[in-house]
Amino acid sequence: MNLVKLGIIGGMGPEATVDFYHRIVKHTVANCDQEHIDMVILNHASIIDRTYAIKNGLEQELLDSLKQDIQILEHTQVSNIAIPCNTCHTVLDQIQRLTSIPIINMVEETVKYIAEHKNNYKKIGLMATDGTILSGMYQKWFDTYGLSLHAPQKDIQSQIMDMIYQDIKARGIYNNEKFKKILTYFLQSGCDHVILGCTELSGFKQCFKAYSIDPMDYLVKACIEKSGKIYQED
């Protein structure tokens, strides 16, 4: 029997990759070890920072590193590839051209879900890295589905970047008060939900679940279902 194997290019950041793996295990219907998904996880923590690459014209360096990861996963004969990093999706089309193995699009899966449940949403804000914001990739998918997206003004974006890089990446700190202050800006701007458009921000979901849309949730669901397994809710 040919088993479906999932390839994961992780390390962006490492803690987000651990969380991603944990969620796949948690949400897969399985009664024993053998019923879980076979996975190959590359924790490529040393890869160039995605936002830095985008802002400094170094996308090719990023793609060259990802090409090596793709080649490893091709050798292990994975059936699908997931990249739990929003900013990395800014070059997803170029990454996909490096391989015939399908790469699951986390941004597309997220916006597709929102479109299918659009009666539950009015206006959605985006918390993400500068790279993700500059790329306009979420806006592209929102336009495709005729949805409204609110990107933050510059001073708020600066606070989001500080929270991602100085608090979470550098010190592993999730400051709920700081997040709440930024969330209040979005709510006062007419948003009823915000997309946690950086996997580092997923750690805020539990405390702010009523206002959060976490793309990692939809990537997890797609990975499980495309691996031939059944997804189970919490």
Side-chain angles (χ1 to χ4, degrees):
M1 181 175 66
N2 292 324
L3 295 176
V4 177
K5 190 186 300 179
L6 176 65
I8 299 171
I9 302 177
M12 302 176 271
E15 188 171 344
T17 303
V18 173
D19 182 29
F20 181 62
Y21 173 64
H22 174 71
R23 291 197 206 186
I24 290 178
V25 173
K26 179 181 177 183
H27 289 285
T28 301
V29 174
N31 296 307
C32 61
D33 294 347
Q34 291 72 27
E35 293 180 358
H36 280 281
I37 299 169
D38 287 339
M39 288 181 256
V40 179
I41 303 173
L42 299 177
N43 193 60
H44 196 168
S46 62
I47 196 168
I48 187 172
D49 182 83
R50 282 62 61 201
T51 289
Y52 180 83
I54 291 164
K55 295 178 78 171
N56 292 277
L58 298 173
E59 291 95 335
Q60 191 57 52
E61 180 179 337
L62 174 61
L63 288 168
D64 289 344
S65 294
L66 289 165
K67 183 177 181 179
Q68 295 177 29
D69 295 336
I70 293 288
Q71 289 171 341
I72 293 171
L73 293 178
E74 286 178 331
H75 182 72
T76 62
Q77 297 182 318
V78 300
S79 304
N80 295 288
I81 295 173
I83 307 175
C85 171
N86 283 266
T87 312
C88 206
H89 280 63
T90 61
V91 291
L92 193 69
D93 289 344
Q94 295 98 305
I95 303 170
Q96 183 64 81
R97 286 197 285 269
L98 299 174
T99 183
S100 61
I101 301 171
I103 302 174
I104 303 169
N105 191 323
M106 175 164 58
V107 178
E108 180 182 5
E109 293 293 335
T110 301
V111 181
K112 183 170 67 174
Y113 174 86
I114 293 170
E116 290 171 351
H117 300 82
K118 60 184 178 182
N119 290 337
N120 296 331
Y121 307 104
K122 294 180 181 178
K123 184 178 180 182
I124 297 173
L126 176 62
M127 289 192 192
T129 63
D130 287 350
T132 296
I133 296 291
L134 288 169
S135 74
M137 64 175 179
Y138 270 99
Q139 186 65 60
K140 181 192 77 172
W141 283 106
F142 266 68
D143 289 346
T144 298
Y145 285 98
L147 301 170
S148 176
L149 181 68
H150 178 76
Q153 57 193 37
K154 287 185 178 180
D155 62 322
I156 299 297
Q157 180 59 26
S158 177
Q159 292 176 43
I160 293 170
M161 283 290 287
D162 182 74
M163 187 166 58
I164 293 170
Y165 280 86
Q166 302 307 317
D167 290 355
I168 303 172
K169 284 184 178 291
R171 297 183 292 164
I173 294 174
Y174 287 85
N175 188 322
N176 283 344
E177 287 303 312
K178 186 177 289 187
F179 182 91
K180 186 177 180 180
K181 180 181 177 183
I182 296 171
L183 175 62
T184 298
Y185 155 79
F186 282 100
L187 296 178
Q188 290 178 345
S189 299
C191 300
D192 48 23
H193 289 80
V194 293
I195 293 175
L196 304 179
C198 173
T199 50
E200 307 292 359
L201 297 174
S202 293
F204 290 110
K205 185 186 74 169
Q206 197 58 39
C207 290
F208 299 94
K209 197 169 184 177
Y211 304 101
S212 300
I213 299 171
D214 187 1
M216 194 125 78
D217 287 337
Y218 308 106
L219 181 60
V220 166
K221 188 174 188 293
C223 285
I224 292 171
E225 292 177 346
K226 291 179 185 294
S227 297
K229 302 295 183 179
I230 298 174
Y231 175 86
Q232 61 184 357
E233 300 287 351
D234 289 328

